[in-house]
Amino acid sequence: MTKNRILICTFLALSSGFFGGYIGGQITLMLHSQKCQNQPWALNQMCNVWVTPGAIWQGSTTGIWTCTVLGAFVGGLVTRQTCD
């Protein structure tokens, strides 16, 4: 049972981490690209190119760390053994 518990916790932590990284990157990109909305078309495009890498990096790393910890916690709760 211990090996299955470790595998389930690891799978939940990693899968939620990857999912959180993707969602975090998308949300942060959307928030950072709002800064570029009031620019003329050419400047808007240049602003988006400038902002995108940093926003995706920031959001992805935050999402990965946060959701990996939360996924491991939930995995521990799901697979915990009760005392009888």
Side-chain angles (χ1 to χ4, degrees):
M1 179 63 185
T2 304
K3 286 186 179 183
N4 288 340
R5 183 175 186 214
I6 292 171
L7 288 174
I8 291 170
C9 286
T10 302
F11 177 74
L12 279 173
L14 290 176
S15 60
S16 65
F18 288 131
F19 180 71
Y22 174 75
I23 296 298
Q26 294 299 314
I27 290 172
T28 308
L29 176 60
M30 185 174 49
L31 291 173
H32 280 256
S33 63
Q34 284 181 352
K35 297 176 184 177
C36 304
Q37 293 300 319
N38 296 331
Q39 304 291 334
W41 182 80
L43 291 177
N44 184 353
Q45 300 302 315
M46 288 174 46
C47 180
N48 281 329
V49 167
W50 182 260
V51 167
T52 298
I56 290 177
W57 177 259
Q58 180 185 7
S60 295
T61 53
T62 303
I64 287 171
W65 281 106
T66 304
C67 290
T68 300
V69 170
L70 289 175
F73 179 73
V74 168
L77 287 177
V78 168
T79 61
R80 72 183 169 99
Q81 298 171 350
T82 58
C83 296
D84 289 329

Coordinates of all heavy atoms in Angstrom, one line a residue:
M1 N 0.8 -1.2 0.0 CA 0.0 0.0 0.0 C 0.9 1.3 0.0 O 0.5 2.3 -0.6 CB -0.9 0.0 1.2 CG -1.8 1.2 1.4 SD -3.0 1.3 0.0 CE -3.7 2.8 0.3
T2 N 2.0 1.2 0.6 CA 2.9 2.4 0.7 C 3.4 2.8 -0.7 O 3.4 4.0 -0.9 CB 4.1 2.1 1.6 OG1 3.6 1.7 2.9 CG2 4.9 3.4 1.8
K3 N 3.8 1.9 -1.5 CA 4.2 2.3 -2.8 C 3.1 2.9 -3.7 O 3.4 3.9 -4.4 CB 4.8 1.0 -3.6 CG 6.1 0.6 -3.1 CD 6.7 -0.5 -3.9 CE 8.1 -0.9 -3.4 NZ 8.7 -1.9 -4.2
N4 N 1.9 2.3 -3.6 CA 0.8 2.9 -4.3 C 0.5 4.3 -3.8 O 0.2 5.2 -4.6 CB -0.5 2.1 -4.1 CG -0.4 0.8 -4.9 OD1 0.4 0.7 -5.8 ND2 -1.2 -0.2 -4.6
R5 N 0.6 4.5 -2.5 CA 0.3 5.8 -1.9 C 1.4 6.9 -2.4 O 1.0 8.0 -2.8 CB 0.4 5.8 -0.4 CG 0.1 7.0 0.3 CD 0.0 6.9 1.8 NE -0.4 8.1 2.4 CZ 0.0 8.6 3.5 NH1 0.8 7.9 4.2 NH2 -0.5 9.7 4.0
I6 N 2.6 6.5 -2.5 CA 3.7 7.4 -3.0 C 3.4 7.7 -4.4 O 3.6 8.8 -4.9 CB 5.1 6.7 -2.7 CG1 5.4 6.7 -1.2 CG2 6.1 7.5 -3.5 CD1 6.6 5.9 -0.9
L7 N 3.1 6.7 -5.2 CA 2.8 6.9 -6.7 C 1.6 7.8 -6.9 O 1.7 8.7 -7.7 CB 2.6 5.6 -7.4 CG 3.8 4.7 -7.6 CD1 3.5 3.4 -8.2 CD2 4.9 5.4 -8.4
I8 N 0.6 7.6 -6.1 CA -0.6 8.5 -6.3 C -0.3 9.9 -5.9 O -0.7 10.9 -6.6 CB -1.8 7.9 -5.4 CG1 -2.3 6.6 -6.1 CG2 -2.9 8.9 -5.3 CD1 -3.2 5.8 -5.2
C9 N 0.4 10.1 -4.7 CA 0.8 11.5 -4.3 C 1.7 12.1 -5.3 O 1.5 13.3 -5.6 CB 1.4 11.4 -2.9 SG 0.3 11.1 -1.6
T10 N 2.7 11.4 -5.8 CA 3.6 12.0 -6.8 C 2.8 12.4 -8.1 O 3.1 13.5 -8.6 CB 4.7 11.0 -7.1 OG1 5.4 10.6 -5.9 CG2 5.7 11.6 -8.1
F11 N 2.0 11.5 -8.5 CA 1.2 11.8 -9.8 C 0.3 13.0 -9.6 O 0.3 13.9 -10.4 CB 0.4 10.6 -10.2 CG -0.5 10.8 -11.4 CD1 0.1 10.9 -12.6 CD2 -1.8 11.0 -11.2 CE1 -0.7 11.2 -13.7 CE2 -2.6 11.3 -12.3 CZ -2.1 11.3 -13.6
L12 N -0.4 13.1 -8.4 CA -1.2 14.2 -8.2 C -0.4 15.5 -8.1 O -0.8 16.6 -8.6 CB -2.1 14.0 -6.9 CG -3.3 13.2 -7.1 CD1 -3.9 12.9 -5.7 CD2 -4.3 13.8 -8.0
A13 N 0.7 15.5 -7.4 CA 1.5 16.7 -7.2 C 2.1 17.1 -8.6 O 2.0 18.3 -8.9 CB 2.6 16.4 -6.3
L14 N 2.6 16.2 -9.4 CA 3.2 16.6 -10.6 C 2.1 17.1 -11.6 O 2.3 18.1 -12.3 CB 4.0 15.5 -11.2 CG 5.3 15.1 -10.5 CD1 6.0 13.9 -11.1 CD2 6.2 16.3 -10.5
S15 N 1.0 16.3 -11.7 CA 0.0 16.7 -12.7 C -0.7 18.1 -12.3 O -0.9 18.9 -13.2 CB -1.1 15.6 -12.8 OG -1.7 15.4 -11.6
S16 N -0.9 18.3 -11.0 CA -1.5 19.6 -10.7 C -0.5 20.7 -10.8 O -0.8 21.8 -11.1 CB -2.0 19.5 -9.2 OG -1.0 19.3 -8.3
G17 N 0.8 20.4 -10.6 CA 1.9 21.4 -10.8 C 2.0 21.8 -12.3 O 2.0 23.0 -12.6
F18 N 1.9 20.9 -13.2 CA 2.0 21.2 -14.6 C 0.7 22.0 -15.0 O 0.8 23.0 -15.8 CB 2.1 20.0 -15.5 CG 3.5 19.4 -15.4 CD1 3.7 18.0 -15.2 CD2 4.6 20.2 -15.5 CE1 4.9 17.5 -15.1 CE2 5.9 19.6 -15.4 CZ 6.1 18.3 -15.2
F19 N -0.4 21.6 -14.6 CA -1.7 22.3 -14.9 C -1.6 23.7 -14.3 O -2.0 24.6 -15.0 CB -2.9 21.5 -14.3 CG -4.2 22.1 -14.6 CD1 -4.7 22.1 -15.9 CD2 -4.9 22.7 -13.6 CE1 -5.9 22.7 -16.2 CE2 -6.1 23.3 -13.9 CZ -6.6 23.3 -15.1
G20 N -1.2 23.8 -13.1 CA -1.1 25.1 -12.5 C -0.1 26.0 -13.2 O -0.3 27.2 -13.2
G21 N 1.0 25.4 -13.6 CA 1.9 26.2 -14.4 C 1.4 26.8 -15.7 O 1.6 28.0 -16.0
Y22 N 0.6 26.0 -16.4 CA 0.0 26.4 -17.6 C -1.1 27.5 -17.3 O -1.1 28.6 -18.0 CB -0.7 25.3 -18.3 CG -1.5 25.7 -19.5 CD1 -0.9 26.1 -20.7 CD2 -2.9 25.7 -19.5 CE1 -1.6 26.5 -21.8 CE2 -3.6 26.1 -20.6 CZ -3.0 26.5 -21.7 OH -3.7 26.9 -22.8
I23 N -1.9 27.3 -16.3 CA -3.0 28.3 -16.0 C -2.4 29.5 -15.5 O -2.8 30.7 -15.8 CB -4.0 27.7 -15.0 CG1 -4.7 26.5 -15.6 CG2 -5.0 28.7 -14.5 CD1 -5.5 26.8 -16.8
G24 N -1.4 29.4 -14.6 CA -0.7 30.6 -14.1 C 0.0 31.4 -15.1 O -0.1 32.7 -15.1
G25 N 0.6 30.8 -16.1 CA 1.2 31.5 -17.2 C 0.2 32.2 -18.0 O 0.4 33.4 -18.4
Q26 N -0.9 31.6 -18.3 CA -2.0 32.2 -19.1 C -2.6 33.4 -18.4 O -2.8 34.5 -19.0 CB -3.1 31.2 -19.5 CG -2.6 30.1 -20.4 CD -2.1 30.6 -21.7 OE1 -2.7 31.5 -22.4 NE2 -1.0 30.2 -22.1
I27 N -2.9 33.3 -17.1 CA -3.5 34.4 -16.4 C -2.5 35.6 -16.3 O -2.9 36.7 -16.5 CB -3.9 33.9 -15.0 CG1 -5.1 32.9 -15.1 CG2 -4.3 35.1 -14.1 CD1 -5.5 32.3 -13.8
T28 N -1.3 35.3 -15.9 CA -0.3 36.4 -15.8 C 0.0 37.0 -17.1 O 0.1 38.3 -17.2 CB 1.0 35.8 -15.2 OG1 0.7 35.1 -14.0 CG2 2.0 36.9 -14.9
L29 N 0.0 36.3 -18.2 CA 0.1 36.9 -19.5 C -1.0 37.8 -19.9 O -0.8 38.9 -20.4 CB 0.3 35.8 -20.6 CG 0.3 36.2 -22.0 CD1 1.6 37.1 -22.2 CD2 0.4 35.1 -23.0
M30 N -2.2 37.4 -19.5 CA -3.4 38.2 -19.8 C -3.3 39.5 -19.0 O -3.6 40.6 -19.5 CB -4.7 37.4 -19.5 CG -5.9 38.1 -19.8 SD -7.4 37.1 -19.5 CE -7.2 36.5 -17.9
L31 N -2.9 39.4 -17.7 CA -2.9 40.6 -16.9 C -1.8 41.5 -17.4 O -2.0 42.7 -17.4 CB -2.6 40.2 -15.4 CG -3.8 39.5 -14.8 CD1 -3.4 39.0 -13.4 CD2 -5.0 40.4 -14.7
H32 N -0.6 41.0 -17.7 CA 0.5 41.8 -18.2 C 0.2 42.5 -19.5 O 0.7 43.6 -19.8 CB 1.8 41.1 -18.2 CG 2.4 40.9 -16.9 ND1 3.5 41.6 -16.5 CD2 2.1 40.1 -15.8 CE1 3.9 41.3 -15.3 NE2 3.0 40.4 -14.8
S33 N -0.5 41.8 -20.4 CA -0.7 42.3 -21.7 C -1.8 43.4 -21.7 O -2.0 44.1 -22.7 CB -1.1 41.2 -22.7 OG -2.3 40.6 -22.3
Q34 N -2.5 43.5 -20.6 CA -3.5 44.6 -20.5 C -2.8 46.0 -20.4 O -3.4 47.0 -20.8 CB -4.4 44.5 -19.3 CG -5.4 43.4 -19.4 CD -6.3 43.3 -18.2 OE1 -6.0 43.9 -17.2 NE2 -7.4 42.5 -18.3
K35 N -1.5 46.0 -20.0 CA -0.7 47.2 -20.0 C -0.5 47.8 -21.4 O -0.2 49.0 -21.6 CB 0.6 47.0 -19.3 CG 0.5 46.6 -17.9 CD 1.9 46.2 -17.4 CE 1.8 45.7 -15.9 NZ 3.2 45.3 -15.4
C36 N -0.6 46.9 -22.4 CA -0.3 47.3 -23.8 C -1.6 47.7 -24.5 O -1.4 48.1 -25.7 CB 0.3 46.1 -24.5 SG 1.8 45.5 -23.7
Q37 N -2.7 47.7 -24.0 CA -4.0 47.9 -24.7 C -4.1 49.3 -25.2 O -4.7 49.5 -26.3 CB -5.2 47.6 -23.8 CG -5.3 46.1 -23.4 CD -5.4 45.3 -24.7 OE1 -6.1 45.6 -25.6 NE2 -4.7 44.1 -24.7
N38 N -3.6 50.3 -24.5 CA -3.9 51.7 -25.0 C -2.8 52.3 -25.9 O -2.8 53.5 -26.2 CB -3.9 52.6 -23.7 CG -5.1 52.3 -22.8 OD1 -6.1 51.8 -23.3 ND2 -4.9 52.5 -21.5
Q39 N -2.0 51.4 -26.5 CA -1.0 51.8 -27.4 C -1.5 51.7 -28.9 O -2.4 50.9 -29.1 CB 0.2 50.9 -27.3 CG 0.8 50.8 -25.9 CD 1.5 52.1 -25.5 OE1 1.9 52.9 -26.3 NE2 1.5 52.3 -24.2
P40 N -0.9 52.5 -29.8 CA -1.2 52.2 -31.2 C -0.8 50.8 -31.6 O 0.0 50.2 -30.9 CB -0.4 53.3 -31.9 CG 0.0 54.3 -30.9 CD 0.0 53.6 -29.6
W41 N -1.3 50.4 -32.8 CA -1.1 49.0 -33.2 C 0.3 48.5 -33.1 O 0.6 47.5 -32.5 CB -1.7 48.8 -34.6 CG -1.6 47.3 -35.0 CD1 -2.4 46.3 -34.6 CD2 -0.6 46.8 -35.8 NE1 -2.0 45.1 -35.2 CE2 -0.9 45.4 -35.9 CE3 0.5 47.3 -36.5 CZ2 -0.1 44.5 -36.6 CZ3 1.3 46.4 -37.2 CH2 1.0 45.0 -37.3
A42 N 1.2 49.2 -33.8 CA 2.6 48.8 -33.8 C 3.3 48.7 -32.4 O 4.0 47.8 -32.1 CB 3.4 49.7 -34.8
L43 N 3.0 49.7 -31.6 CA 3.6 49.8 -30.3 C 2.9 48.7 -29.4 O 3.6 48.1 -28.5 CB 3.4 51.1 -29.6 CG 4.2 52.3 -30.2 CD1 3.9 53.6 -29.6 CD2 5.7 51.9 -30.1
N44 N 1.6 48.4 -29.7 CA 0.9 47.3 -29.0 C 1.6 46.0 -29.2 O 1.8 45.2 -28.3 CB -0.5 47.3 -29.4 CG -1.4 46.3 -28.6 OD1 -0.8 45.5 -27.8 ND2 -2.7 46.3 -28.8
Q45 N 1.9 45.7 -30.5 CA 2.6 44.5 -30.8 C 4.0 44.4 -30.2 O 4.4 43.3 -29.7 CB 2.7 44.3 -32.4 CG 1.4 44.3 -33.1 CD 0.5 43.2 -32.6 OE1 0.9 42.1 -32.4 NE2 -0.8 43.6 -32.3
M46 N 4.7 45.4 -30.2 CA 6.1 45.4 -29.6 C 6.0 45.3 -28.1 O 6.8 44.6 -27.5 CB 6.8 46.7 -30.0 CG 7.2 46.8 -31.4 SD 8.0 48.4 -31.9 CE 9.1 48.7 -30.6
C47 N 5.0 45.9 -27.5 CA 4.8 45.8 -26.1 C 4.5 44.3 -25.7 O 5.0 43.8 -24.7 CB 3.7 46.7 -25.6 SG 3.3 46.7 -23.9
N48 N 3.6 43.7 -26.5 CA 3.2 42.3 -26.2 C 4.4 41.4 -26.4 O 4.6 40.5 -25.6 CB 2.1 41.9 -27.1 CG 0.8 42.4 -26.7 OD1 0.5 42.5 -25.5 ND2 -0.1 42.6 -27.6
V49 N 5.3 41.6 -27.4 CA 6.5 40.8 -27.6 C 7.4 41.0 -26.4 O 8.0 40.1 -25.9 CB 7.2 41.2 -28.9 CG1 8.6 40.6 -29.0 CG2 6.3 40.7 -30.1
W50 N 7.5 42.2 -25.9 CA 8.4 42.5 -24.7 C 7.9 41.9 -23.4 O 8.7 41.4 -22.6 CB 8.5 44.0 -24.6 CG 9.4 44.5 -23.5 CD1 9.1 44.9 -22.3 CD2 10.9 44.5 -23.6 NE1 10.2 45.2 -21.5 CE2 11.3 45.0 -22.3 CE3 11.8 44.2 -24.6 CZ2 12.7 45.1 -22.0 CZ3 13.1 44.4 -24.3 CH2 13.6 44.8 -23.0
V51 N 6.6 41.9 -23.2 CA 6.0 41.5 -21.9 C 5.8 40.0 -21.8 O 5.9 39.4 -20.8 CB 4.6 42.3 -21.8 CG1 3.8 41.7 -20.6 CG2 4.9 43.7 -21.5
T52 N 5.6 39.3 -22.9 CA 5.2 37.9 -22.9 C 6.2 37.0 -22.2 O 5.7 36.2 -21.4 CB 4.9 37.4 -24.4 OG1 3.8 38.2 -24.9 CG2 4.6 36.0 -24.4
P53 N 7.5 37.0 -22.5 CA 8.4 36.0 -21.9 C 8.4 36.1 -20.4 O 8.3 35.1 -19.7 CB 9.7 36.3 -22.5 CG 9.5 37.0 -23.8 CD 8.2 37.8 -23.5
G54 N 8.5 37.4 -19.9 CA 8.5 37.6 -18.4 C 7.3 37.2 -17.7 O 7.3 36.6 -16.7
A55 N 6.1 37.5 -18.4 CA 4.8 37.1 -17.8 C 4.6 35.6 -17.7 O 4.2 35.1 -16.7 CB 3.7 37.8 -18.6
I56 N 5.0 34.9 -18.8 CA 4.8 33.5 -18.8 C 5.8 32.9 -17.8 O 5.4 31.9 -17.1 CB 5.0 32.9 -20.2 CG1 3.9 33.4 -21.1 CG2 5.2 31.4 -20.2 CD1 4.0 32.9 -22.5
W57 N 7.0 33.3 -17.7 CA 7.9 32.8 -16.7 C 7.4 33.0 -15.3 O 7.5 32.1 -14.5 CB 9.3 33.4 -16.9 CG 10.3 33.0 -15.9 CD1 10.7 33.7 -14.8 CD2 11.0 31.7 -16.0 NE1 11.7 32.9 -14.2 CE2 11.9 31.7 -14.8 CE3 11.0 30.7 -16.8 CZ2 12.7 30.7 -14.5 CZ3 11.9 29.6 -16.5 CH2 12.7 29.6 -15.4
Q58 N 7.0 34.2 -15.0 CA 6.6 34.5 -13.7 C 5.3 33.7 -13.3 O 5.3 33.1 -12.2 CB 6.2 36.0 -13.5 CG 5.8 36.4 -12.2 CD 5.3 37.9 -12.2 OE1 5.3 38.6 -13.2 NE2 5.1 38.4 -11.0
G59 N 4.3 33.7 -14.1 CA 3.1 32.9 -13.9 C 3.3 31.4 -13.8 O 2.7 30.8 -13.0
S60 N 4.1 30.9 -14.7 CA 4.4 29.5 -14.7 C 5.1 29.0 -13.5 O 4.7 28.0 -12.9 CB 5.2 29.1 -16.0 OG 4.4 29.4 -17.1
T61 N 6.1 29.7 -13.1 CA 6.9 29.3 -11.9 C 6.0 29.4 -10.6 O 6.0 28.5 -9.8 CB 8.2 30.0 -11.7 OG1 7.9 31.4 -11.7 CG2 9.2 29.7 -12.8
T62 N 5.2 30.4 -10.5 CA 4.3 30.6 -9.4 C 3.3 29.5 -9.4 O 3.0 28.8 -8.3 CB 3.7 31.9 -9.4 OG1 4.7 33.0 -9.4 CG2 2.8 32.1 -8.2
G63 N 2.7 29.2 -10.5 CA 1.7 28.2 -10.6 C 2.2 26.8 -10.4 O 1.6 26.0 -9.7
I64 N 3.4 26.5 -10.9 CA 4.0 25.2 -10.6 C 4.3 24.9 -9.2 O 3.9 23.9 -8.6 CB 5.3 25.0 -11.4 CG1 5.0 24.9 -12.9 CG2 6.1 23.8 -10.9 CD1 6.2 24.9 -13.8
W65 N 4.9 25.9 -8.5 CA 5.2 25.7 -7.1 C 3.9 25.6 -6.2 O 3.8 24.7 -5.4 CB 6.1 26.9 -6.5 CG 7.5 26.7 -6.9 CD1 8.2 27.4 -7.9 CD2 8.4 25.8 -6.4 NE1 9.5 27.0 -7.9 CE2 9.6 26.0 -7.0 CE3 8.3 24.8 -5.4 CZ2 10.8 25.2 -6.8 CZ3 9.5 24.0 -5.1 CH2 10.7 24.2 -5.8
T66 N 3.0 26.5 -6.5 CA 1.8 26.5 -5.6 C 1.0 25.3 -5.8 O 0.6 24.6 -4.9 CB 0.9 27.8 -6.0 OG1 1.7 29.0 -5.8 CG2 -0.3 27.9 -5.1
C67 N 0.7 24.9 -7.1 CA -0.1 23.8 -7.3 C 0.5 22.4 -7.0 O -0.1 21.5 -6.7 CB -0.6 23.8 -8.8 SG -1.8 25.2 -9.0
T68 N 1.9 22.4 -7.1 CA 2.5 21.1 -6.7 C 2.4 20.9 -5.2 O 2.1 19.8 -4.8 CB 4.0 21.2 -7.1 OG1 4.2 21.4 -8.5 CG2 4.8 19.9 -6.7
V69 N 2.5 21.9 -4.4 CA 2.4 21.8 -3.0 C 0.9 21.4 -2.7 O 0.7 20.5 -1.9 CB 2.8 23.1 -2.3 CG1 2.4 23.1 -0.8 CG2 4.3 23.3 -2.4
L70 N 0.0 22.1 -3.3 CA -1.4 21.8 -3.1 C -1.8 20.4 -3.5 O -2.6 19.7 -2.9 CB -2.3 22.9 -3.7 CG -2.3 24.3 -3.1 CD1 -3.1 25.2 -4.0 CD2 -2.8 24.2 -1.7
G71 N -1.3 20.0 -4.7 CA -1.5 18.7 -5.2 C -1.0 17.6 -4.3 O -1.6 16.6 -4.0
A72 N 0.2 17.8 -3.7 CA 0.8 16.9 -2.8 C 0.0 16.8 -1.5 O -0.3 15.7 -0.9 CB 2.2 17.2 -2.4
F73 N -0.5 17.9 -1.0 CA -1.4 18.0 0.2 C -2.7 17.2 -0.1 O -3.1 16.4 0.7 CB -1.6 19.4 0.5 CG -2.5 19.6 1.7 CD1 -2.0 19.3 3.0 CD2 -3.8 20.0 1.6 CE1 -2.9 19.4 4.1 CE2 -4.7 20.1 2.7 CZ -4.2 19.8 4.0
V74 N -3.3 17.5 -1.2 CA -4.5 16.8 -1.5 C -4.3 15.3 -1.7 O -5.1 14.4 -1.2 CB -5.2 17.4 -2.8 CG1 -6.3 16.5 -3.3 CG2 -5.7 18.8 -2.5
G75 N -3.2 14.9 -2.3 CA -2.8 13.5 -2.5 C -2.6 12.8 -1.2 O -3.0 11.7 -1.0
G76 N -2.0 13.5 -0.2 CA -1.8 13.0 1.1 C -3.2 12.8 1.8 O -3.4 11.8 2.5
L77 N -4.1 13.7 1.6 CA -5.4 13.6 2.2 C -6.2 12.4 1.6 O -6.9 11.7 2.3 CB -6.2 14.9 2.1 CG -5.7 16.0 3.0 CD1 -6.6 17.3 2.7 CD2 -5.9 15.7 4.4
V78 N -6.1 12.3 0.3 CA -6.8 11.3 -0.4 C -6.3 9.9 0.0 O -7.1 8.9 0.2 CB -6.8 11.5 -1.9 CG1 -7.3 10.3 -2.7 CG2 -7.5 12.7 -2.3
T79 N -5.1 9.7 0.2 CA -4.5 8.4 0.4 C -4.2 8.1 1.9 O -3.6 7.1 2.2 CB -3.2 8.2 -0.4 OG1 -2.3 9.2 0.0 CG2 -3.5 8.3 -1.9
R80 N -4.6 9.0 2.8 CA -4.3 8.8 4.2 C -4.9 7.5 4.7 O -6.0 7.1 4.2 CB -4.6 10.0 5.0 CG -6.1 10.2 5.2 CD -6.4 11.4 6.0 NE -7.8 11.7 6.0 CZ -8.6 11.4 7.0 NH1 -8.1 10.9 8.1 NH2 -9.9 11.7 6.9
Q81 N -4.3 6.9 5.7 CA -4.8 5.7 6.3 C -5.5 6.1 7.6 O -5.0 6.8 8.4 CB -3.7 4.7 6.5 CG -3.0 4.3 5.2 CD -1.7 3.5 5.5 OE1 -1.3 3.4 6.7 NE2 -1.1 2.9 4.5
T82 N -6.7 5.5 7.8 CA -7.4 5.8 9.0 C -7.0 4.8 10.1 O -6.6 3.6 9.8 CB -8.9 5.6 8.8 OG1 -9.2 4.3 8.3 CG2 -9.4 6.7 7.7
C83 N -7.0 5.2 11.3 CA -6.7 4.4 12.4 C -8.0 3.6 12.9 O -9.0 4.3 13.2 CB -6.2 5.2 13.6 SG -4.6 6.0 13.2
D84 N -8.0 2.4 12.9 CA -9.2 1.6 13.3 C -9.0 1.0 14.7 O -8.0 0.6 15.1 CB -9.4 0.4 12.3 CG -10.0 1.0 11.0 OD1 -10.6 2.1 11.0 OD2 -9.7 0.4 10.0

